[in-house]
Amino acid sequence: MDSFLVSQALAAVAFTCGVVSFQCKKRRDVLLWLSASALTNAFHFFVLGRNSAGTLYVVMGIRVFTAAFTTDKRLMYVFMALILAGFFFSYEHPLDILALFGSLLPTYGNFQQSDRKVRLIYMACAVTWMVHNYLAGSPVAVLMETTFLVSNVIGYWRIYRFAIKA
């Protein structure tokens, strides 16, 4: 099978996990599904030859899994340092700067206690990855992030539509 087709199949699996994540109500469930999505997405980028984005997504998957069980800010800083180190050692193109931002932003979000903050930060993150994936030439990944954004907005509205505080 062609490596591009394999990459797009992996992106489709990551896509499904991400859509499911934002329809969950509990913070931990959202984060566990996002972890599965991130790790699958990492392999998608490795197959595309985008090693920097793939490396950042591996760190992201481990980070999200960890954050599902703790909001300890010290761990947030450890993961930010790992992301920066991964970026430093795998930087290949200016496009990788978007991947860096797309990895640091949700790191901050994952270690927030409020699932609302997690969701709002992930909305901004989806836009960052949409631009990255478009420029990287991955149409399924663009569609995936667009759907993550829409799913997140729908999930946020569905769960919090009657709440006053954001």
PDB file of all heavy atoms in Angstrom, residues 103-127:
ATOM      1  N   SER A 103       1.499  22.314  19.882  1.00  0.00           N
ATOM      2  CA  SER A 103       1.785  21.361  20.956  1.00  0.00           C
ATOM      3  C   SER A 103       1.868  22.033  22.320  1.00  0.00           C
ATOM      4  O   SER A 103       1.465  21.450  23.325  1.00  0.00           O
ATOM      5  CB  SER A 103       3.108  20.644  20.672  1.00  0.00           C
ATOM      6  OG  SER A 103       3.012  19.901  19.498  1.00  0.00           O
ATOM      7  N   LEU A 104       2.402  23.245  22.359  1.00  0.00           N
ATOM      8  CA  LEU A 104       2.526  23.951  23.647  1.00  0.00           C
ATOM      9  C   LEU A 104       1.171  24.446  24.163  1.00  0.00           C
ATOM     10  O   LEU A 104       0.903  24.373  25.362  1.00  0.00           O
ATOM     11  CB  LEU A 104       3.491  25.135  23.520  1.00  0.00           C
ATOM     12  CG  LEU A 104       4.962  24.785  23.374  1.00  0.00           C
ATOM     13  CD1 LEU A 104       5.784  26.046  23.088  1.00  0.00           C
ATOM     14  CD2 LEU A 104       5.491  24.065  24.601  1.00  0.00           C
ATOM     15  N   LEU A 105       0.341  24.928  23.266  1.00  0.00           N
ATOM     16  CA  LEU A 105      -0.956  25.470  23.663  1.00  0.00           C
ATOM     17  C   LEU A 105      -1.827  24.446  24.405  1.00  0.00           C
ATOM     18  O   LEU A 105      -2.292  24.712  25.516  1.00  0.00           O
ATOM     19  CB  LEU A 105      -1.683  26.023  22.432  1.00  0.00           C
ATOM     20  CG  LEU A 105      -3.015  26.712  22.654  1.00  0.00           C
ATOM     21  CD1 LEU A 105      -2.846  27.954  23.522  1.00  0.00           C
ATOM     22  CD2 LEU A 105      -3.615  27.112  21.301  1.00  0.00           C
ATOM     23  N   PRO A 106      -2.025  23.260  23.861  1.00  0.00           N
ATOM     24  CA  PRO A 106      -2.852  22.298  24.592  1.00  0.00           C
ATOM     25  C   PRO A 106      -2.154  21.708  25.815  1.00  0.00           C
ATOM     26  O   PRO A 106      -2.821  21.180  26.705  1.00  0.00           O
ATOM     27  CB  PRO A 106      -3.176  21.224  23.556  1.00  0.00           C
ATOM     28  CG  PRO A 106      -2.062  21.309  22.588  1.00  0.00           C
ATOM     29  CD  PRO A 106      -1.682  22.765  22.539  1.00  0.00           C
ATOM     30  N   THR A 107      -0.826  21.807  25.855  1.00  0.00           N
ATOM     31  CA  THR A 107      -0.134  21.353  27.062  1.00  0.00           C
ATOM     32  C   THR A 107      -0.608  22.182  28.241  1.00  0.00           C
ATOM     33  O   THR A 107      -0.921  21.658  29.305  1.00  0.00           O
ATOM     34  CB  THR A 107       1.399  21.479  26.908  1.00  0.00           C
ATOM     35  OG1 THR A 107       1.802  20.679  25.799  1.00  0.00           O
ATOM     36  CG2 THR A 107       2.118  21.025  28.161  1.00  0.00           C
ATOM     37  N   TYR A 108      -0.684  23.469  28.024  1.00  0.00           N
ATOM     38  CA  TYR A 108      -1.221  24.352  29.050  1.00  0.00           C
ATOM     39  C   TYR A 108      -2.661  23.956  29.367  1.00  0.00           C
ATOM     40  O   TYR A 108      -3.054  23.838  30.527  1.00  0.00           O
ATOM     41  CB  TYR A 108      -1.137  25.812  28.588  1.00  0.00           C
ATOM     42  CG  TYR A 108      -1.828  26.762  29.526  1.00  0.00           C
ATOM     43  CD1 TYR A 108      -1.235  27.115  30.732  1.00  0.00           C
ATOM     44  CD2 TYR A 108      -3.073  27.278  29.220  1.00  0.00           C
ATOM     45  CE1 TYR A 108      -1.877  27.977  31.613  1.00  0.00           C
ATOM     46  CE2 TYR A 108      -3.726  28.134  30.082  1.00  0.00           C
ATOM     47  CZ  TYR A 108      -3.126  28.480  31.276  1.00  0.00           C
ATOM     48  OH  TYR A 108      -3.780  29.327  32.151  1.00  0.00           O
ATOM     49  N   GLY A 109      -3.450  23.723  28.341  1.00  0.00           N
ATOM     50  CA  GLY A 109      -4.858  23.388  28.523  1.00  0.00           C
ATOM     51  C   GLY A 109      -5.086  22.071  29.244  1.00  0.00           C
ATOM     52  O   GLY A 109      -5.978  21.959  30.089  1.00  0.00           O
ATOM     53  N   ASN A 110      -4.287  21.072  28.925  1.00  0.00           N
ATOM     54  CA  ASN A 110      -4.490  19.757  29.530  1.00  0.00           C
ATOM     55  C   ASN A 110      -4.351  19.753  31.038  1.00  0.00           C
ATOM     56  O   ASN A 110      -4.985  18.938  31.708  1.00  0.00           O
ATOM     57  CB  ASN A 110      -3.503  18.736  28.968  1.00  0.00           C
ATOM     58  CG  ASN A 110      -3.836  18.334  27.565  1.00  0.00           C
ATOM     59  OD1 ASN A 110      -2.941  18.090  26.780  1.00  0.00           O
ATOM     60  ND2 ASN A 110      -5.094  18.269  27.208  1.00  0.00           N
ATOM     61  N   PHE A 111      -3.550  20.623  31.570  1.00  0.00           N
ATOM     62  CA  PHE A 111      -3.301  20.613  33.005  1.00  0.00           C
ATOM     63  C   PHE A 111      -4.176  21.613  33.757  1.00  0.00           C
ATOM     64  O   PHE A 111      -3.906  21.946  34.904  1.00  0.00           O
ATOM     65  CB  PHE A 111      -1.809  20.802  33.291  1.00  0.00           C
ATOM     66  CG  PHE A 111      -1.013  19.584  32.907  1.00  0.00           C
ATOM     67  CD1 PHE A 111      -0.460  19.468  31.652  1.00  0.00           C
ATOM     68  CD2 PHE A 111      -0.868  18.535  33.799  1.00  0.00           C
ATOM     69  CE1 PHE A 111       0.245  18.330  31.282  1.00  0.00           C
ATOM     70  CE2 PHE A 111      -0.174  17.392  33.446  1.00  0.00           C
ATOM     71  CZ  PHE A 111       0.385  17.288  32.180  1.00  0.00           C
ATOM     72  N   GLN A 112      -5.240  22.048  33.102  1.00  0.00           N
ATOM     73  CA  GLN A 112      -6.239  22.884  33.760  1.00  0.00           C
ATOM     74  C   GLN A 112      -7.280  21.972  34.401  1.00  0.00           C
ATOM     75  O   GLN A 112      -7.606  20.923  33.862  1.00  0.00           O
ATOM     76  CB  GLN A 112      -6.914  23.821  32.754  1.00  0.00           C
ATOM     77  CG  GLN A 112      -5.954  24.732  32.021  1.00  0.00           C
ATOM     78  CD  GLN A 112      -5.093  25.553  32.957  1.00  0.00           C
ATOM     79  OE1 GLN A 112      -5.607  26.251  33.822  1.00  0.00           O
ATOM     80  NE2 GLN A 112      -3.785  25.457  32.785  1.00  0.00           N
ATOM     81  N   GLN A 113      -7.784  22.377  35.540  1.00  0.00           N
ATOM     82  CA  GLN A 113      -8.788  21.559  36.220  1.00  0.00           C
ATOM     83  C   GLN A 113     -10.150  21.648  35.548  1.00  0.00           C
ATOM     84  O   GLN A 113     -10.929  20.710  35.587  1.00  0.00           O
ATOM     85  CB  GLN A 113      -8.889  21.953  37.693  1.00  0.00           C
ATOM     86  CG  GLN A 113      -7.664  21.570  38.476  1.00  0.00           C
ATOM     87  CD  GLN A 113      -7.780  21.925  39.943  1.00  0.00           C
ATOM     88  OE1 GLN A 113      -8.616  22.723  40.340  1.00  0.00           O
ATOM     89  NE2 GLN A 113      -6.918  21.331  40.743  1.00  0.00           N
ATOM     90  N   SER A 114     -10.435  22.754  34.934  1.00  0.00           N
ATOM     91  CA  SER A 114     -11.731  22.976  34.304  1.00  0.00           C
ATOM     92  C   SER A 114     -11.772  22.329  32.920  1.00  0.00           C
ATOM     93  O   SER A 114     -10.974  22.664  32.045  1.00  0.00           O
ATOM     94  CB  SER A 114     -11.991  24.481  34.169  1.00  0.00           C
ATOM     95  OG  SER A 114     -13.066  24.714  33.295  1.00  0.00           O
ATOM     96  N   ASP A 115     -12.716  21.422  32.732  1.00  0.00           N
ATOM     97  CA  ASP A 115     -12.865  20.819  31.414  1.00  0.00           C
ATOM     98  C   ASP A 115     -13.280  21.867  30.383  1.00  0.00           C
ATOM     99  O   ASP A 115     -12.981  21.748  29.206  1.00  0.00           O
ATOM    100  CB  ASP A 115     -13.847  19.652  31.442  1.00  0.00           C
ATOM    101  CG  ASP A 115     -15.232  20.053  31.881  1.00  0.00           C
ATOM    102  OD1 ASP A 115     -15.368  20.586  32.990  1.00  0.00           O
ATOM    103  OD2 ASP A 115     -16.171  19.836  31.098  1.00  0.00           O
ATOM    104  N   ARG A 116     -13.931  22.923  30.822  1.00  0.00           N
ATOM    105  CA  ARG A 116     -14.303  24.009  29.902  1.00  0.00           C
ATOM    106  C   ARG A 116     -13.054  24.680  29.334  1.00  0.00           C
ATOM    107  O   ARG A 116     -12.988  24.962  28.134  1.00  0.00           O
ATOM    108  CB  ARG A 116     -15.155  25.052  30.614  1.00  0.00           C
ATOM    109  CG  ARG A 116     -16.515  24.547  30.962  1.00  0.00           C
ATOM    110  CD  ARG A 116     -17.276  25.629  31.665  1.00  0.00           C
ATOM    111  NE  ARG A 116     -18.495  25.098  32.218  1.00  0.00           N
ATOM    112  CZ  ARG A 116     -19.530  25.823  32.520  1.00  0.00           C
ATOM    113  NH1 ARG A 116     -19.500  27.121  32.346  1.00  0.00           N
ATOM    114  NH2 ARG A 116     -20.601  25.267  33.015  1.00  0.00           N
ATOM    115  N   LYS A 117     -12.092  24.967  30.208  1.00  0.00           N
ATOM    116  CA  LYS A 117     -10.850  25.579  29.733  1.00  0.00           C
ATOM    117  C   LYS A 117     -10.126  24.647  28.776  1.00  0.00           C
ATOM    118  O   LYS A 117      -9.580  25.085  27.760  1.00  0.00           O
ATOM    119  CB  LYS A 117      -9.942  25.943  30.909  1.00  0.00           C
ATOM    120  CG  LYS A 117     -10.405  27.150  31.671  1.00  0.00           C
ATOM    121  CD  LYS A 117      -9.424  27.493  32.783  1.00  0.00           C
ATOM    122  CE  LYS A 117      -9.925  28.666  33.595  1.00  0.00           C
ATOM    123  NZ  LYS A 117      -9.021  28.970  34.717  1.00  0.00           N
ATOM    124  N   VAL A 118     -10.117  23.364  29.108  1.00  0.00           N
ATOM    125  CA  VAL A 118      -9.486  22.382  28.225  1.00  0.00           C
ATOM    126  C   VAL A 118     -10.127  22.466  26.836  1.00  0.00           C
ATOM    127  O   VAL A 118      -9.437  22.552  25.823  1.00  0.00           O
ATOM    128  CB  VAL A 118      -9.608  20.952  28.795  1.00  0.00           C
ATOM    129  CG1 VAL A 118      -9.130  19.919  27.781  1.00  0.00           C
ATOM    130  CG2 VAL A 118      -8.842  20.812  30.102  1.00  0.00           C
ATOM    131  N   ARG A 119     -11.447  22.471  26.798  1.00  0.00           N
ATOM    132  CA  ARG A 119     -12.165  22.515  25.524  1.00  0.00           C
ATOM    133  C   ARG A 119     -11.878  23.799  24.743  1.00  0.00           C
ATOM    134  O   ARG A 119     -11.634  23.765  23.538  1.00  0.00           O
ATOM    135  CB  ARG A 119     -13.667  22.390  25.750  1.00  0.00           C
ATOM    136  CG  ARG A 119     -14.102  21.015  26.184  1.00  0.00           C
ATOM    137  CD  ARG A 119     -15.596  21.015  26.538  1.00  0.00           C
ATOM    138  NE  ARG A 119     -16.010  19.753  27.058  1.00  0.00           N
ATOM    139  CZ  ARG A 119     -16.355  18.697  26.314  1.00  0.00           C
ATOM    140  NH1 ARG A 119     -16.299  18.780  25.010  1.00  0.00           N
ATOM    141  NH2 ARG A 119     -16.722  17.575  26.886  1.00  0.00           N
ATOM    142  N   LEU A 120     -11.904  24.955  25.419  1.00  0.00           N
ATOM    143  CA  LEU A 120     -11.666  26.231  24.739  1.00  0.00           C
ATOM    144  C   LEU A 120     -10.248  26.308  24.172  1.00  0.00           C
ATOM    145  O   LEU A 120     -10.048  26.774  23.045  1.00  0.00           O
ATOM    146  CB  LEU A 120     -11.936  27.393  25.695  1.00  0.00           C
ATOM    147  CG  LEU A 120     -13.411  27.583  26.075  1.00  0.00           C
ATOM    148  CD1 LEU A 120     -13.552  28.596  27.215  1.00  0.00           C
ATOM    149  CD2 LEU A 120     -14.244  28.001  24.864  1.00  0.00           C
ATOM    150  N   ILE A 121      -9.287  25.832  24.938  1.00  0.00           N
ATOM    151  CA  ILE A 121      -7.905  25.849  24.452  1.00  0.00           C
ATOM    152  C   ILE A 121      -7.744  24.893  23.270  1.00  0.00           C
ATOM    153  O   ILE A 121      -7.039  25.197  22.299  1.00  0.00           O
ATOM    154  CB  ILE A 121      -6.928  25.545  25.605  1.00  0.00           C
ATOM    155  CG1 ILE A 121      -6.936  26.726  26.584  1.00  0.00           C
ATOM    156  CG2 ILE A 121      -5.525  25.265  25.083  1.00  0.00           C
ATOM    157  CD1 ILE A 121      -6.246  26.482  27.906  1.00  0.00           C
ATOM    158  N   TYR A 122      -8.428  23.770  23.317  1.00  0.00           N
ATOM    159  CA  TYR A 122      -8.371  22.840  22.189  1.00  0.00           C
ATOM    160  C   TYR A 122      -9.025  23.408  20.932  1.00  0.00           C
ATOM    161  O   TYR A 122      -8.662  23.032  19.818  1.00  0.00           O
ATOM    162  CB  TYR A 122      -8.979  21.484  22.558  1.00  0.00           C
ATOM    163  CG  TYR A 122      -7.907  20.506  22.980  1.00  0.00           C
ATOM    164  CD1 TYR A 122      -7.492  20.436  24.295  1.00  0.00           C
ATOM    165  CD2 TYR A 122      -7.291  19.670  22.050  1.00  0.00           C
ATOM    166  CE1 TYR A 122      -6.496  19.560  24.680  1.00  0.00           C
ATOM    167  CE2 TYR A 122      -6.298  18.789  22.428  1.00  0.00           C
ATOM    168  CZ  TYR A 122      -5.908  18.740  23.748  1.00  0.00           C
ATOM    169  OH  TYR A 122      -4.917  17.873  24.109  1.00  0.00           O
ATOM    170  N   MET A 123      -9.961  24.320  21.091  1.00  0.00           N
ATOM    171  CA  MET A 123     -10.546  24.979  19.912  1.00  0.00           C
ATOM    172  C   MET A 123      -9.470  25.803  19.202  1.00  0.00           C
ATOM    173  O   MET A 123      -9.332  25.741  17.974  1.00  0.00           O
ATOM    174  CB  MET A 123     -11.731  25.848  20.311  1.00  0.00           C
ATOM    175  CG  MET A 123     -12.957  25.058  20.711  1.00  0.00           C
ATOM    176  SD  MET A 123     -14.302  26.171  21.206  1.00  0.00           S
ATOM    177  CE  MET A 123     -15.324  25.052  22.157  1.00  0.00           C
ATOM    178  N   ALA A 124      -8.696  26.558  19.972  1.00  0.00           N
ATOM    179  CA  ALA A 124      -7.605  27.353  19.389  1.00  0.00           C
ATOM    180  C   ALA A 124      -6.532  26.438  18.799  1.00  0.00           C
ATOM    181  O   ALA A 124      -5.970  26.715  17.731  1.00  0.00           O
ATOM    182  CB  ALA A 124      -7.005  28.278  20.441  1.00  0.00           C
ATOM    183  N   CYS A 125      -6.274  25.353  19.475  1.00  0.00           N
ATOM    184  CA  CYS A 125      -5.274  24.389  18.999  1.00  0.00           C
ATOM    185  C   CYS A 125      -5.702  23.791  17.663  1.00  0.00           C
ATOM    186  O   CYS A 125      -4.875  23.616  16.762  1.00  0.00           O
ATOM    187  CB  CYS A 125      -5.103  23.299  20.054  1.00  0.00           C
ATOM    188  SG  CYS A 125      -3.905  22.052  19.586  1.00  0.00           S
ATOM    189  N   ALA A 126      -6.977  23.469  17.508  1.00  0.00           N
ATOM    190  CA  ALA A 126      -7.477  22.881  16.254  1.00  0.00           C
ATOM    191  C   ALA A 126      -7.215  23.811  15.074  1.00  0.00           C
ATOM    192  O   ALA A 126      -6.805  23.357  13.998  1.00  0.00           O
ATOM    193  CB  ALA A 126      -8.963  22.562  16.369  1.00  0.00           C
ATOM    194  N   VAL A 127      -7.408  25.098  15.277  1.00  0.00           N
ATOM    195  CA  VAL A 127      -7.160  26.058  14.198  1.00  0.00           C
ATOM    196  C   VAL A 127      -5.671  26.045  13.813  1.00  0.00           C
ATOM    197  O   VAL A 127      -5.320  26.042  12.625  1.00  0.00           O
ATOM    198  CB  VAL A 127      -7.624  27.475  14.601  1.00  0.00           C
ATOM    199  CG1 VAL A 127      -7.205  28.506  13.567  1.00  0.00           C
ATOM    200  CG2 VAL A 127      -9.142  27.497  14.803  1.00  0.00           C
TER     201      VAL A 127
END
